Amino acid sequence: MLYRQGSLLQLLAIVPFISFSRGSILPTSNDLRDEYDFIVVGGGTAGNVVANRLSEDPSISVLVIEAGGSNADILASQVPNMWTRLLGSMYDWNYTSIPQAGLDGRSISLARGRLLGGTSSLNTMLYTRGTSDDYDSIAELVGDPRWSWDRLQPYIRKNELWSPPSSNRPTEGEFDPAVHGRDGLLEVSLPSDPQPIDDRVLQTSRENSEFPFNLDLNSGHHLGVGWLQSTITSTGRRASSATSYLGPGVINRPNLDILLDAQVTRLLLSNGTDDVTFDAVQFVAGTSAAQSVKAVREIILSAGSIGTPNILLHSGIGDAGDLARVGIQSVHQLPSVGRNFTDHILGGLTWFANSTDTFETVGRNASLQAMLLEEWRTNGTGFFSGSGIDHLGYVRLADNASIFDNFADPAGPNTGHIELIISNGDLFSGPTPENFMVIEVMLTKPLSRGSLSLNSSNPFDDPIIDPAYLAHEFDRFALREGVRSAQRFLSSPAWEGYILGRTGAFATVDVQDDDQLDGFLRENFISGLHFVGTASMSPKGASWGVTDPDLKVKGLNGLRVVDASVIPLIPAAHTQVPVYIVAERAADIIKEDWKLV
Ligand SMILES: Cc1cc2nc3c(=O)[nH]c(=O)nc-3n(C[C@H](O)[C@H](O)[C@H](O)COP(=O)(O)OP(=O)(O)OC[C@H]3O[C@@H](n4cnc5c(N)ncnc54)[C@H](O)[C@@H]3O)c2cc1C
Ligand SMILES: *[C@@H]1O[C@H](CO)[C@@H](O)[C@H](O)[C@H]1NC(C)=O
Ligand SMILES: *[C@@H]1O[C@H](CO)[C@@H](O)[C@H](O)[C@H]1NC(C)=O
Ligand SMILES: *[C@@H]1O[C@H](CO)[C@@H](O)[C@H](O)[C@H]1NC(C)=O
Ligand SMILES: *[C@@H]1O[C@H](CO)[C@@H](O)[C@H](O)[C@H]1NC(C)=O
Ligand SMILES: *[C@@H]1O[C@H](CO)[C@@H](O)[C@H](O)[C@H]1NC(C)=O
Ligand SMILES: *[C@@H]1O[C@H](CO)[C@@H](O)[C@H](O)[C@H]1NC(C)=O
Ligand SMILES: *[C@@H]1O[C@H](CO)[C@@H](O)[C@H](O)[C@H]1NC(C)=O
Ligand SMILES: *[C@@H]1O[C@H](CO)[C@@H](O)[C@H](O)[C@H]1NC(C)=O
C-alpha cells in the first residue's frame, strides 16, 4: 500500500481547491456572525474535538477562536520525526518557568503549540491512555463514577482509529486488538519501521523480570515493556486534532466557523442583571483593536493548562487578593484557578553505543537526511515516519520502599511510578561523531504541586509559571529509583557488547549515592510538558476546584472548561490521550444538556 504524496501535492497546488477546502476558516474577523450558539476558545487538542462534535448538530452554530495560524502546509508538523524543529519556533508559545528551587534555580522551557491543533500539532505523538487506576482515582476524587476507566471506554473508542503502520508490516503480537477502536477519528499506529535495538529491548523483557513484556500498554494495565503506539497515520503523517477532528467534511460545515490569528484577552459578563453569566468573548485579531463576539448558549474554554487559567484570571475569575495585586477587579472569587499546576519531569540518560546505526548517523549526514525525507515523501516510511521511539517501559517502586512509610502511594497497583522511554540515540542529536543509546526517565505520578499566576493586567504578558519541580520528597525518591531502574535495564545480557559506557552528565554520577543522584536530577532534568490541574474539576459543592464534574465553572453560568487544565490528578501517561478522552466525554455532556443531536 504505497502513498503517492507527489500527486496529492499537485492536487493541493490547484488554488481554488485550497480555498474550497478551507471553507470554515474565516478570512478576517469582519466575517464573523454577531453571535454563535457556542464559542470554543482555543482550536487545540480538546477545542477541535468539542467543535467537531457540537457542529454535528446542523441547527446550532459554533465558532472556534485560535491565537495561532493554520496547521496546513507546515512540513515539520506533518513529518513525524521533525517535531523537535517546532520547539522554540513561531508555532510555540515559548513559555518558561520561573527559576526552580528544586532544579538549582534553572528556568525551564514550557513549550505549547500555537497553531490550529494546538499542542497536538507539535507534540511527540505518543499514544498513551494511562491506566484504569488513573481514571478511577479521578472519578473517586470528584465523586462522579462517569469519569472511571470503565465508563470512559466509549469515549476512548470515539477518539481512536486504529490503523496499520505506513510500511504495512505485520504487527501481530505487538498489540491487543481487543482494546482498540476502529470507528474513531484519530489515527493511531505502531512504528512503521522497526529499529536495530528493538530485539535487544524485547530480549531484555525475557531476561529481567523487572521488565516483563506487556502486549498492550493501553489496556489499562501498563506495567512492563511494550510497543509504543503513536498518533501517526497509515500514510506516515502526524495525526492531530486539526487533521482528524477538522478533517475534510468537517472543516466545511456551514455551521462551523474558525477564526485564526486571534488572541482571546478576556471573557465578558452578560449585560443582564445577574453578575454570574458570561456570554461574550473579547479578542484581538492582528493589529486591530479589541473586538467581542457573543455566545448565545456557552463559552467553552479550551486554551490549555496555561491559556485557560490565564484567560480566567484576566476575566476576574480567581483569587480576589491575587487579582487585586495586579490591578484586576475580581468578578468571581475562585481561588483554585491556576493552583495545583502539575507536570511530569524527565531527563535523558546517555550511553555510548557500539553501533553505526543510531539517530546520530542520520543527524550528521545531510545527504542521508535528504534520502530519508524522499523516502517519507514517496512511501511515508522510514526514519521520518515515526517519533523515533519504539518502546516504553513502566515500573513501580518496591511495595516496601521506605518512602511509603511517610507518603501514601500516588499510583494505583496497575500503575508505574516511572516511565522509561527507550530510544536508538538522542532525539535532539546534532551532528555529533558518536553514536548513543538513550533512556529517558519520567516521573509519572509526581506529588509536587505548582501554580500559575498573573504578572500584570496585560493579557499579552506571560503569566508567572511555577511548576515546583522536585519540591516533594517523594518525587526525588522515585526519580532516583527510576534512574537505577534504567541502569538495570541496560545491564541485562541483551546489551552486552552494545553498551560501551555512560556519557554526558550521567557519566560521572555514582548511582548508588542519593546525594549525587539528586544533584544530577537538579542539574539536568526538565519538563515532561504535560501540565494539568490549573482549572481542576472537583466534587459539586467542594470548597476547592474550578469546575464541577460536568466541567461547568463553579458558581457561573455560560462557561465551561474542556482541556488538560480540568484534569485534577496527573495520569501516568503523556497527556494528549487523556485530553482527547476528556473532550469526547465533555462534548457528550454538553450535547445532553442542550438536547443536541
Ligand atoms: C513538545 C511536546 C511534546 C509532547 N508530546 C506528547 C506526546 O508524545 N504524547 C502525548 O500524549 N502528549 C504529549 N504532549 C502533551 C500534549 O500534547 C498536551 O497535554 C495536550 O495536547 C494539551 O491539549 P489541550 O487541549 O489542553 O491544549 P492545547 O492543545 O495546547 O490547545 C490550546 C489551544 O488554545 C490556544 N490558545 C491559548 N491561549 C489562547 C488565547 N488567549 N486565545 C486564543 N487561543 C488560545 C493555543 O494556541 C492552542 O491552540 C507534548 C507536549 C509538548 C509541548
Ligand atoms: C518563540 O521564540 C522564537 C525564537 O525567539 C520566535 O522566533 C518565535 O516567534 C516565538 N514564538 C512566538 C509565538 O512568539
Ligand atoms: C453590553 O452593553 C454595552 C452598552 O450598551 C454594549 O456596548 C455592549 O456591546 C454590550 N455587550 C454585549 C456582549 O452585548
Ligand atoms: C489541590 O488539589 C487537591 C486535590 O488533589 C485539593 O485537595 C486541594 O484543595 C487543591 N488546592 C487548591 C488550592 O485548589
Ligand atoms: C551519508 O549517507 C550517504 C547515503 O547513505 C552515504 O552514501 C554516505 O557515505 C554518508 N556519508 C558519510 C560521511 O557517512
Ligand atoms: C518506495 O518503496 C518502493 C517499494 O518498496 C521502493 O522500491 C522505493 O525505492 C521506495 N522509494 C524510496 C524513495 O525510498
Ligand atoms: C524489601 O523487600 C526485599 C525482599 O522482598 C528486601 O530485599 C529489601 O531489603 C526490602 N527493602 C526494604 C527497604 O525494606
Ligand atoms: C514580570 O514583570 C516584570 C516587570 O515587567 C519582568 O521583569 C519579569 O520578567 C516578569 N516575570 C515573568 C515571569 O514574566
Ligand atoms: C562491538 O560490536 C562488535 C560486533 O558488532 C564486537 O565484535 C565488538 O567486540 C564490540 N565492541 C565492544 C567494545 O564491545
Side-chain angles (χ1 to χ4, degrees), residues 43-46 48 66 77 83 86-87 91-93 95 110-125 231 238-242 302-306 528-531 564 575-576 579-580:
T45 314
N48 294 337
E66 166 56 42
S77 180
W83 66 274
L86 298 165
L87 302 180
Y91 309 111
D92 181 354
W93 283 84
Y95 293 115
L110 304 173
R112 269 316 80 174
R114 185 186 166 105
L115 71 168
L116 198 57
T119 307
S120 75
S121 289
L122 65 54
N123 69 16
T124 319
M125 299 154 289
T231 49
R238 170 189 297 272
S240 67
S241 75
S302 298
S305 296
I306 294 174
L529 301 171
H530 295 157
F531 341 123
T575 38
Q576 68 168 340
V579 169
Y580 279 118

Side-chain angles (χ1 to χ4, degrees), residues 96-98 455-456 461-465:
T96 49
S97 77
I98 60 169
N455 199 24
S456 82
D461 284 351
D462 281 355
I464 298 170
I465 306 169

